[in-house]
């Protein structure tokens, strides 16, 4: 995130939130941090830029989005991404989105997400653990996710299970968490388990990402206008102590499941 902010002056356009194109070779070198493999830009929109690079030894790509909004607050954007109940309303691709287990000590949550994929592919389902952090001292918000296995969510023959998935988002307010304006950096990759060629998967990502970000932005605007109530995750801080006892009681109270998740599965680091 700091690297992207350092080069943002090279990309900055004449108006806030707008960016200009650089020479492609210069841009590839600028976007990659020292020692990183170069990134290839595949989309240049008003509010964000999208890059990709091959993941060595696979047919997959890793993607990076660097964007900026000036009409919503960082808190609203952050909360809308985390609120699973609200997402069921604004994301028409969601078939199922449930919190399977929550760890009181760390705030980690195991999520089961089932989503439509373009015809003629089967719907995909993800089981992943996510953790978020708000660093008030450094004026940062972070949300990380990765695929895990969980005994409460066995594979369903109706869906294709995505077993490789990682996502990291960093949000830095232009001023404060509750004033309009922020930059964000999203880096992610997944393996959709498809037999389609890589260029087809790349096309799906590059066409689906703008649509998702636009829906996310619109949902954040609606939350800002108080058209819908969204949970404030910044205020819902995980407890600092309690350990496994807190986790066990939460799992028992909320989920009443015979399956339990180990600490190793819940912890991201």
């Amino acid at each position: 995130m700091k690297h992207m902010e350092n080069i943002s002056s090279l990309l900055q356009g004449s108006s806030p939130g707008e960016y200009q194109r650089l020479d492609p070779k210069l841009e590839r070198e600028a976007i990659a941090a020292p020692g990183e493999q170069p990134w290839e830009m595949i989309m240049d929109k008003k509010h964000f830029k999208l890059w990709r690079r091959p993941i060595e030894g696979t047919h997959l790509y890793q993607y990076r989005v660097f964007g900026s909004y000036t009409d919503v607050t960082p808190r609203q954007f952050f909360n809308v991404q985390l609120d699973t109940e609200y997402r069921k309303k604004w994301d028409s691709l969601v078939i199922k989105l449930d919190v399977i287990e929550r760890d009181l000590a760390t705030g980690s949550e195991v999520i089961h997400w089932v989503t439509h994929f373009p015809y003629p592919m089967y719907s995909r389902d993800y089981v992943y653990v996510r953790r978020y952090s708000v660093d008030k001292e450094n004026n940062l918000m972070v949300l990380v996710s990765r695929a895990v296995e969980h005994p409460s969510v066995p594979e369903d023959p109706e869906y294709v299970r995505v077993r490789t998935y990682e996502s990291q988002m960093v949000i830095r307010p232009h001023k404060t968490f509750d004033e309009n304006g922020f930059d964000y950096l999203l880096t992610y990759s997944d393996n959709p388990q498809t037999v389609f060629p890589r260029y087809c998967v790349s096309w799906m990502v590059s066409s689906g990402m703008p649509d998702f970000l636009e829906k996310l932005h619109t949902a954040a605007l609606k939350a800002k206008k108080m058209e819908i109530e969204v949970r404030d995750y910044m205020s819902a801080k995980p407890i600092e102590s309690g350990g496994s006892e807190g986790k066990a009681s939460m799992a028992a109270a909320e989920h009443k499941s015979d399956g339990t998740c180990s600490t190793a599965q819940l912890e991201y680091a």
Side-chain angles (χ1 to χ4, degrees), residues 147-182:
V148 292
E149 294 185 3
H150 195 282
S152 297
V153 194
E155 287 194 53
D156 187 327
E158 190 176 346
Y159 313 121
V160 175
R161 173 64 54 88
V162 176
R163 296 190 172 278
T164 303
Y165 165 69
E166 284 192 3
S167 172
Q168 302 93 31
M169 177 176 278
V170 181
I171 301 170
R172 185 185 289 278
H174 291 165
K175 294 180 180 178
T176 69
F177 295 122
D178 293 304
E179 292 180 82
N180 285 352
F182 61 90

Side-chain angles (χ1 to χ4, degrees), residues 39-69:
W39 295 84
E40 172 195 5
M41 176 179 282
I42 58 175
M43 188 162 296
D44 185 5
K45 295 291 185 181
K46 179 180 179 181
H47 295 297
F48 72 91
K49 289 176 176 286
L50 173 63
W51 295 269
R52 72 178 182 185
R53 64 180 179 184
I55 299 176
E56 194 172 342
T58 75
H59 65 286
L60 304 171
Y61 286 108
Q62 184 181 37
Y63 296 90
R64 172 168 287 176
V65 180
F66 182 66
S68 181
Y69 287 112

Side-chain angles (χ1 to χ4, degrees), residues 203-223:
W203 173 83
M204 285 188 293
V205 172
S206 61
S207 60
M209 177 54 63
D211 181 58
F212 172 78
L213 289 172
E214 184 58 38
K215 288 192 294 186
L216 177 60
H217 180 218
T218 300
L221 284 172
K222 288 184 176 180

Side-chain angles (χ1 to χ4, degrees), residues 89-161:
K89 298 175 182 177
W90 62 261
D91 188 352
S92 59
L93 294 179
V94 169
I95 299 173
K96 184 183 294 186
L97 187 61
D98 299 312
V99 177
I100 303 303
E101 187 169 346
R102 182 177 292 117
D103 180 48
L104 287 176
T106 64
S108 294
E109 294 177 324
V110 178
I111 309 290
H112 183 212
W113 171 38
V114 185
T115 180
H116 289 291
F117 257 53
Y119 180 85
M121 292 186 288
Y122 287 100
S123 298
R124 261 57 177 175
D125 82 326
Y126 296 71
V127 179
Y128 63 94
V129 60
R130 71 179 187 186
R131 184 182 296 182
Y132 61 90
S133 176
V134 178
D135 185 344
K136 295 182 179 179
E137 182 178 345
N138 293 298
N139 209 30
L140 281 175
M141 310 166 104
V142 180
L143 172 61
V144 293
S145 304
R146 68 172 172 87
V148 292
E149 294 185 3
H150 195 282
S152 297
V153 194
E155 287 194 53
D156 187 327
E158 190 176 346
Y159 313 121
V160 175
R161 173 64 54 88

